[in-house]
Amino acid sequence: MRQLIVRRLLQTIPMLFFVSIACFAMIKFAPGDPVLSFVTPNMHAEDIERIRHNLGLDKPAYIQYFLWIKEALSGNLGYSLVNHQPVLDQILDRLPATAGLMGASIGLAVLLAIPLGLLAGANRNRWIDKLINLFSYVGISIPLFWLAILLIYFFSIKLSWLPSMGMRTIGVESALDVLKHGIMPCIVLAFGFLAIYVRYIRSSTIGQLKEDYVQIQYAFGSSKRVVLFRHVMKHVLLPVITLLGMSMGELVAGAIVTETVFSWPGIGSLGMTAVRGMDYPVIMGITLFSSVMLIFGNLAADILYGIADPRIQTKR
């Protein structure tokens, strides 16, 4: 296991290097000029060039990249052009809100998908399988922002059961208040992943039920429920781990949409605000930080896969 972890960590180094180049190139080719954020109507051309020089934007692109990556490796992602606050501090301030939302959503999706997928696979082509399949197709098809608006309309406007925006009620400091604010964002973000996971678990369950060990368990007198939840589920969890790593990109993208609709104070809403304000250092910092999250999310999935099935370690 130690060799697997070391090998995977070494493989992330060139990947992070290319990600940093992509992040930097994306900002360099983006329309607009960061210097314009500092320009006033009465400013002379010499003053504008002085600002450009102080920001290091008058240097060749490759020098700008190496200066930026040098600062980034030391933990300095620059300063926001809008509020002049350190980019890394803003990201770290928003990280707990995003991590909590993503963790709760993916946990909810997995906890619901395992029994639903097993149930659908064990009752193939029956009414309950068709009902769960219908739910999965709906979950895959519905856009997140539309589902979010629908939930806000019913549960916030019509029924007044849940708050429609933010993470806390002003003046209220309680875990229950945070929980109430997080219910709808968590449901929206988990909904699409739940549908995908159910489909994969159903397919894996159907395949496992044809294996010899299932027939042996039935021959020993095990009930269908015992076979399903004690034996089949162990083998079904392996593709779920793979799916967790593969879905990290969609999870980050979904968090951006969800946080924007619900005004959730996370990294996603910070990124959308930066895009609207053309705050290039914040955009670049969030893009790099999100890429690092994706890479290490896939690394964690690989490690969990090796723990769940020790045979994988010998093959790799």
Side-chain angles (χ1 to χ4, degrees):
M1 175 56 66
R2 184 178 299 175
Q3 294 180 353
L4 174 65
I5 295 175
V6 172
R7 188 161 57 248
R8 284 289 180 263
L9 286 174
L10 291 176
Q11 290 174 354
T12 61
I13 295 175
M15 196 178 303
L16 287 172
F17 175 70
F18 286 112
V19 164
S20 67
I21 294 177
C23 293
F24 185 81
M26 180 182 65
I27 297 301
K28 294 301 294 182
F29 287 111
D33 188 353
V35 177
L36 297 179
S37 302
F38 300 91
V39 174
T40 60
N42 299 323
M43 188 172 289
H44 296 289
E46 294 81 4
D47 297 327
I48 296 176
E49 291 304 317
R50 189 179 301 112
I51 293 174
R52 190 180 302 277
H53 175 73
N54 292 335
L55 293 175
L57 298 177
D58 58 340
K59 297 180 175 64
Y62 69 93
I63 294 180
Q64 293 182 41
Y65 168 75
F66 284 115
L67 291 175
W68 173 72
I69 199 66
K70 177 184 176 182
E71 294 295 327
L73 290 174
S74 64
N76 180 18
L77 296 179
Y79 289 82
S80 168
L81 300 179
V82 176
N83 55 30
H84 308 293
Q85 298 295 319
V87 173
L88 184 60
D89 290 349
Q90 294 184 68
I91 293 175
L92 294 179
D93 287 342
R94 302 289 190 106
L95 180 60
T98 297
L101 177 61
M102 292 170 60
S105 300
I106 208 71
L108 177 64
V110 171
L111 287 177
L112 292 178
I114 291 175
L116 288 176
L118 289 171
L119 191 61
N123 296 275
R124 184 182 183 184
N125 295 329
R126 297 182 182 177
W127 68 269
I128 191 168
D129 179 35
K130 295 179 180 179
L131 182 63
I132 294 175
N133 274 332
L134 176 62
F135 166 80
S136 300
Y137 292 138
V138 171
I140 294 172
S141 305
I142 290 181
L144 291 182
F145 72 90
W146 186 85
L147 178 61
I149 294 172
L150 196 66
L151 292 183
I152 290 174
Y153 177 76
F154 281 107
F155 293 102
S156 297
I157 298 177
K158 287 293 184 181
L159 300 176
S160 299
W161 287 355
L162 298 170
S164 62
M165 59 186 299
M167 186 176 173
R168 295 180 184 273
T169 303
I170 298 176
V172 179
E173 297 289 338
S174 68
L176 181 60
D177 182 63
V178 176
L179 180 63
K180 289 176 61 178
H181 280 81
I183 289 176
M184 287 196 296
C186 182
I187 291 174
V188 169
L189 189 55
F191 193 67
F193 295 104
L194 173 60
I196 295 172
Y197 293 165
V198 166
R199 295 290 300 165
Y200 273 91
I201 293 173
R202 174 188 178 274
S203 177
S204 182
T205 301
I206 292 173
Q208 290 296 321
L209 289 175
K210 298 176 181 178
E211 297 293 332
D212 293 338
Y213 75 89
V214 173
Q215 304 304 320
I216 293 174
Q217 291 298 324
Y218 282 137
F220 279 115
S222 298
S223 65
K224 184 176 182 179
R225 182 176 181 179
V226 171
V227 170
L228 197 63
F229 287 95
R230 183 175 297 179
H231 301 283
V232 173
M233 188 172 69
K234 294 178 181 179
H235 297 83
V236 166
L237 289 179
L238 288 177
V240 173
I241 295 174
T242 305
L243 280 176
L244 289 176
M246 293 172 57
S247 60
M248 284 299 296
E250 291 84 356
L251 185 62
V252 173
I256 293 175
V257 175
T258 305
E259 290 179 2
T260 302
V261 175
F262 289 100
S263 298
W264 189 262
I267 295 176
S269 58
L270 176 65
M272 292 302 297
T273 302
V275 170
R276 287 192 291 266
M278 299 183 71
D279 196 346
Y280 296 109
V282 175
I283 297 172
M284 194 151 49
I286 290 176
T287 304
L288 181 62
F289 195 83
S290 300
S291 301
V292 172
M293 288 176 58
L294 295 180
I295 291 172
F296 281 98
N298 282 277
L299 173 63
D302 281 343
I303 294 172
L304 290 175
Y305 203 89
I307 294 174
D309 189 353
R311 295 173 299 175
I312 302 298
Q313 301 176 36
T314 58
K315 294 178 182 180
R316 297 183 181 184

